[in-house]
mmCIF file of all heavy atoms in Angstrom:
data_model
loop_
_atom_site.group_PDB
_atom_site.id
_atom_site.type_symbol
_atom_site.label_atom_id
_atom_site.label_comp_id
_atom_site.label_asym_id
_atom_site.label_seq_id
_atom_site.Cartn_x
_atom_site.Cartn_y
_atom_site.Cartn_z
ATOM 1 N N GLU V 9 -59.998 -170.360 -98.123
ATOM 2 C CA GLU V 9 -59.411 -169.064 -98.558
ATOM 3 C C GLU V 9 -60.480 -168.230 -99.370
ATOM 4 O O GLU V 9 -60.472 -167.000 -99.249
ATOM 5 C CB GLU V 9 -58.119 -169.290 -99.460
ATOM 6 C CG GLU V 9 -56.899 -169.808 -98.614
ATOM 7 C CD GLU V 9 -55.615 -169.876 -99.363
ATOM 8 O OE1 GLU V 9 -55.207 -168.785 -99.925
ATOM 9 O OE2 GLU V 9 -55.069 -170.889 -99.518
ATOM 10 N N ASP V 10 -61.095 -168.992 -100.272
ATOM 11 C CA ASP V 10 -62.045 -168.310 -101.036
ATOM 12 C C ASP V 10 -63.277 -167.697 -100.323
ATOM 13 O O ASP V 10 -63.885 -166.715 -100.638
ATOM 14 C CB ASP V 10 -62.561 -169.181 -102.272
ATOM 15 C CG ASP V 10 -61.502 -169.518 -103.229
ATOM 16 O OD1 ASP V 10 -60.489 -168.835 -103.250
ATOM 17 O OD2 ASP V 10 -61.655 -170.459 -104.076
ATOM 18 N N LYS V 11 -63.579 -168.584 -99.266
ATOM 19 C CA LYS V 11 -64.890 -168.172 -98.553
ATOM 20 C C LYS V 11 -64.810 -167.396 -97.235
ATOM 21 O O LYS V 11 -65.784 -166.972 -96.671
ATOM 22 C CB LYS V 11 -65.609 -169.557 -98.322
ATOM 23 C CG LYS V 11 -67.139 -169.389 -98.216
ATOM 24 C CD LYS V 11 -67.884 -170.798 -98.336
ATOM 25 C CE LYS V 11 -69.349 -170.566 -98.354
ATOM 26 N NZ LYS V 11 -70.134 -171.824 -98.398
ATOM 27 N N ALA V 12 -63.591 -167.245 -96.889
ATOM 28 C CA ALA V 12 -63.361 -166.504 -95.596
ATOM 29 C C ALA V 12 -64.031 -165.175 -95.598
ATOM 30 O O ALA V 12 -64.693 -164.776 -94.677
ATOM 31 C CB ALA V 12 -61.925 -166.422 -95.233
ATOM 32 N N GLY V 13 -63.802 -164.347 -96.690
ATOM 33 C CA GLY V 13 -64.273 -162.986 -96.823
ATOM 34 C C GLY V 13 -65.825 -163.105 -96.959
ATOM 35 O O GLY V 13 -66.531 -162.200 -96.501
ATOM 36 N N TRP V 14 -66.231 -164.140 -97.757
ATOM 37 C CA TRP V 14 -67.795 -164.182 -97.903
ATOM 38 C C TRP V 14 -68.467 -164.373 -96.690
ATOM 39 O O TRP V 14 -69.474 -163.793 -96.614
ATOM 40 C CB TRP V 14 -67.938 -165.422 -98.827
ATOM 41 C CG TRP V 14 -69.369 -165.639 -99.232
ATOM 42 C CD1 TRP V 14 -70.171 -165.138 -100.227
ATOM 43 C CD2 TRP V 14 -70.321 -166.504 -98.559
ATOM 44 N NE1 TRP V 14 -71.357 -165.623 -100.238
ATOM 45 C CE2 TRP V 14 -71.507 -166.444 -99.181
ATOM 46 C CE3 TRP V 14 -70.304 -167.308 -97.359
ATOM 47 C CZ2 TRP V 14 -72.642 -167.033 -98.792
ATOM 48 C CZ3 TRP V 14 -71.440 -167.945 -96.945
ATOM 49 C CH2 TRP V 14 -72.614 -167.925 -97.616
ATOM 50 N N TYR V 15 -67.902 -165.180 -95.754
ATOM 51 C CA TYR V 15 -68.594 -165.328 -94.501
ATOM 52 C C TYR V 15 -68.726 -163.985 -93.644
ATOM 53 O O TYR V 15 -69.765 -163.730 -93.107
ATOM 54 C CB TYR V 15 -67.873 -166.352 -93.573
ATOM 55 C CG TYR V 15 -68.227 -167.813 -93.946
ATOM 56 C CD1 TYR V 15 -67.160 -168.634 -94.282
ATOM 57 C CD2 TYR V 15 -69.525 -168.153 -93.891
ATOM 58 C CE1 TYR V 15 -67.523 -170.030 -94.474
ATOM 59 C CE2 TYR V 15 -69.891 -169.557 -94.122
ATOM 60 C CZ TYR V 15 -68.841 -170.456 -94.497
ATOM 61 O OH TYR V 15 -69.247 -171.747 -94.639
ATOM 62 N N LEU V 16 -67.650 -163.259 -93.671
ATOM 63 C CA LEU V 16 -67.821 -161.930 -93.025
ATOM 64 C C LEU V 16 -68.831 -161.026 -93.760
ATOM 65 O O LEU V 16 -69.430 -160.300 -93.014
ATOM 66 C CB LEU V 16 -66.400 -161.277 -93.021
ATOM 67 C CG LEU V 16 -65.285 -161.987 -92.216
ATOM 68 C CD1 LEU V 16 -63.954 -161.168 -92.194
ATOM 69 C CD2 LEU V 16 -65.747 -162.431 -90.891
ATOM 70 N N ASP V 17 -68.831 -161.113 -95.081
ATOM 71 C CA ASP V 17 -69.855 -160.295 -95.776
ATOM 72 C C ASP V 17 -71.367 -160.636 -95.364
ATOM 73 O O ASP V 17 -72.167 -159.836 -95.182
ATOM 74 C CB ASP V 17 -69.725 -160.477 -97.277
ATOM 75 C CG ASP V 17 -68.413 -159.701 -97.800
ATOM 76 O OD1 ASP V 17 -67.972 -158.837 -97.082
ATOM 77 O OD2 ASP V 17 -67.979 -160.082 -98.913
ATOM 78 N N GLN V 18 -71.471 -162.058 -95.234
ATOM 79 C CA GLN V 18 -72.833 -162.494 -94.759
ATOM 80 C C GLN V 18 -73.102 -161.983 -93.434
ATOM 81 O O GLN V 18 -74.263 -161.616 -93.165
ATOM 82 C CB GLN V 18 -72.838 -163.977 -94.749
ATOM 83 C CG GLN V 18 -72.702 -164.635 -96.023
ATOM 84 C CD GLN V 18 -73.661 -164.097 -97.104
ATOM 85 O OE1 GLN V 18 -74.859 -164.344 -96.862
ATOM 86 N NE2 GLN V 18 -73.198 -163.565 -98.180
ATOM 87 N N LEU V 19 -72.178 -161.995 -92.398
ATOM 88 C CA LEU V 19 -72.415 -161.411 -91.144
ATOM 89 C C LEU V 19 -72.952 -159.943 -91.210
ATOM 90 O O LEU V 19 -73.840 -159.516 -90.537
ATOM 91 C CB LEU V 19 -71.147 -161.522 -90.116
ATOM 92 C CG LEU V 19 -70.708 -162.953 -89.969
ATOM 93 C CD1 LEU V 19 -69.501 -162.915 -88.990
ATOM 94 C CD2 LEU V 19 -71.819 -163.810 -89.303
ATOM 95 N N LYS V 20 -72.218 -159.194 -92.010
ATOM 96 C CA LYS V 20 -72.517 -157.794 -92.252
ATOM 97 C C LYS V 20 -73.862 -157.705 -92.807
ATOM 98 O O LYS V 20 -74.731 -156.749 -92.385
ATOM 99 C CB LYS V 20 -71.452 -157.137 -93.228
ATOM 100 C CG LYS V 20 -70.085 -157.015 -92.645
ATOM 101 C CD LYS V 20 -69.204 -156.369 -93.779
ATOM 102 C CE LYS V 20 -67.745 -156.342 -93.248
ATOM 103 N NZ LYS V 20 -66.953 -155.830 -94.313
ATOM 104 N N SER V 21 -74.202 -158.435 -93.804
ATOM 105 C CA SER V 21 -75.549 -158.400 -94.466
ATOM 106 C C SER V 21 -76.656 -158.743 -93.540
ATOM 107 O O SER V 21 -77.861 -158.291 -93.678
ATOM 108 C CB SER V 21 -75.565 -159.292 -95.718
ATOM 109 O OG SER V 21 -75.733 -160.673 -95.198
ATOM 110 N N LYS V 22 -76.376 -159.426 -92.397
ATOM 111 C CA LYS V 22 -77.393 -159.721 -91.384
ATOM 112 C C LYS V 22 -77.491 -158.725 -90.351
ATOM 113 O O LYS V 22 -78.301 -158.787 -89.300
ATOM 114 C CB LYS V 22 -77.099 -161.112 -90.741
ATOM 115 C CG LYS V 22 -77.093 -162.243 -91.755
ATOM 116 C CD LYS V 22 -78.347 -162.491 -92.371
ATOM 117 C CE LYS V 22 -78.307 -163.739 -93.327
ATOM 118 N NZ LYS V 22 -79.594 -164.043 -93.941
ATOM 119 N N GLY V 23 -76.665 -157.671 -90.417
ATOM 120 C CA GLY V 23 -76.830 -156.455 -89.504
ATOM 121 C C GLY V 23 -75.751 -156.439 -88.425
ATOM 122 O O GLY V 23 -75.783 -155.644 -87.617
ATOM 123 N N MET V 24 -74.849 -157.389 -88.509
ATOM 124 C CA MET V 24 -73.811 -157.475 -87.448
ATOM 125 C C MET V 24 -72.656 -156.413 -87.705
ATOM 126 O O MET V 24 -72.426 -156.017 -88.937
ATOM 127 C CB MET V 24 -73.070 -158.867 -87.370
ATOM 128 C CG MET V 24 -74.074 -159.951 -86.925
ATOM 129 S SD MET V 24 -73.141 -161.447 -86.342
ATOM 130 C CE MET V 24 -72.344 -160.788 -84.875
ATOM 131 N N LYS V 25 -72.131 -155.872 -86.709
ATOM 132 C CA LYS V 25 -70.945 -154.941 -86.806
ATOM 133 C C LYS V 25 -69.694 -155.767 -86.906
ATOM 134 O O LYS V 25 -69.251 -156.436 -85.989
ATOM 135 C CB LYS V 25 -70.883 -153.979 -85.622
ATOM 136 C CG LYS V 25 -72.141 -153.123 -85.482
ATOM 137 C CD LYS V 25 -72.021 -152.146 -84.213
ATOM 138 C CE LYS V 25 -73.193 -151.241 -84.164
ATOM 139 N NZ LYS V 25 -73.120 -150.339 -82.824
ATOM 140 N N VAL V 26 -69.006 -155.762 -88.021
ATOM 141 C CA VAL V 26 -67.842 -156.497 -88.286
ATOM 142 C C VAL V 26 -66.700 -155.481 -88.422
ATOM 143 O O VAL V 26 -66.689 -154.658 -89.362
ATOM 144 C CB VAL V 26 -67.890 -157.390 -89.737
ATOM 145 C CG1 VAL V 26 -66.611 -158.050 -89.887
ATOM 146 C CG2 VAL V 26 -69.132 -158.348 -89.466
ATOM 147 N N GLN V 27 -65.827 -155.580 -87.574
ATOM 148 C CA GLN V 27 -64.695 -154.536 -87.383
ATOM 149 C C GLN V 27 -63.424 -155.115 -86.942
ATOM 150 O O GLN V 27 -63.448 -156.069 -86.290
ATOM 151 C CB GLN V 27 -65.144 -153.426 -86.579
ATOM 152 C CG GLN V 27 -65.660 -153.850 -85.225
ATOM 153 C CD GLN V 27 -66.527 -152.806 -84.619
ATOM 154 O OE1 GLN V 27 -66.293 -151.654 -84.364
ATOM 155 N NE2 GLN V 27 -67.643 -153.279 -83.995
ATOM 156 N N ALA V 28 -62.335 -154.313 -87.280
ATOM 157 C CA ALA V 28 -60.997 -154.650 -86.687
ATOM 158 C C ALA V 28 -61.012 -154.269 -85.183
ATOM 159 O O ALA V 28 -61.760 -153.409 -84.735
ATOM 160 C CB ALA V 28 -60.023 -153.915 -87.405
ATOM 161 N N PRO V 29 -60.235 -155.050 -84.390
ATOM 162 C CA PRO V 29 -60.143 -154.542 -83.036
ATOM 163 C C PRO V 29 -59.489 -153.200 -82.775
ATOM 164 O O PRO V 29 -58.644 -152.828 -83.674
ATOM 165 C CB PRO V 29 -59.260 -155.692 -82.329
ATOM 166 C CG PRO V 29 -58.413 -156.238 -83.535
ATOM 167 C CD PRO V 29 -59.258 -156.019 -84.762
ATOM 168 N N SER V 30 -59.817 -152.562 -81.664
ATOM 169 C CA SER V 30 -59.136 -151.343 -81.410
ATOM 170 C C SER V 30 -57.667 -151.550 -81.029
ATOM 171 O O SER V 30 -57.424 -152.722 -80.679
ATOM 172 C CB SER V 30 -59.873 -150.643 -80.233
ATOM 173 O OG SER V 30 -59.632 -151.439 -79.057
ATOM 174 N N PRO V 31 -56.819 -150.546 -81.086
ATOM 175 C CA PRO V 31 -55.409 -150.888 -80.578
ATOM 176 C C PRO V 31 -55.376 -151.340 -79.288
ATOM 177 O O PRO V 31 -54.532 -152.267 -78.974
ATOM 178 C CB PRO V 31 -54.845 -149.486 -80.811
ATOM 179 C CG PRO V 31 -55.595 -148.721 -81.815
ATOM 180 C CD PRO V 31 -57.002 -149.168 -81.660
ATOM 181 N N GLU V 32 -56.216 -150.902 -78.339
ATOM 182 C CA GLU V 32 -56.238 -151.332 -77.003
ATOM 183 C C GLU V 32 -56.578 -152.791 -76.874
ATOM 184 O O GLU V 32 -55.977 -153.588 -76.121
ATOM 185 C CB GLU V 32 -57.090 -150.556 -76.135
ATOM 186 C CG GLU V 32 -56.752 -149.110 -75.910
ATOM 187 C CD GLU V 32 -56.983 -148.247 -77.155
ATOM 188 O OE1 GLU V 32 -57.852 -148.594 -78.063
ATOM 189 O OE2 GLU V 32 -56.493 -147.063 -77.192
ATOM 190 N N LEU V 33 -57.609 -153.245 -77.702
ATOM 191 C CA LEU V 33 -58.153 -154.592 -77.590
ATOM 192 C C LEU V 33 -57.026 -155.600 -78.152
ATOM 193 O O LEU V 33 -56.785 -156.541 -77.735
ATOM 194 C CB LEU V 33 -59.393 -154.709 -78.343
ATOM 195 C CG LEU V 33 -60.076 -156.106 -78.471
ATOM 196 C CD1 LEU V 33 -60.367 -156.597 -76.998
ATOM 197 C CD2 LEU V 33 -61.387 -156.134 -79.250
#
């Protein structure tokens, strides 16, 4: 629970596009 958000932040910091799915997806 504590680290779930941290991992997504790490992906962002490495240049990945982290986003919610579109309504269609």
Side-chain angles (χ1 to χ4, degrees):
E9 288 187 58
D10 289 347
K11 209 164 183 180
W14 181 87
Y15 277 126
L16 297 186
D17 288 340
Q18 294 305 301
L19 298 182
K20 292 176 186 176
S21 72
K22 301 297 184 180
M24 293 196 72
K25 296 180 180 179
V26 177
Q27 55 201 307
S30 68
E32 292 78 14
L33 183 59

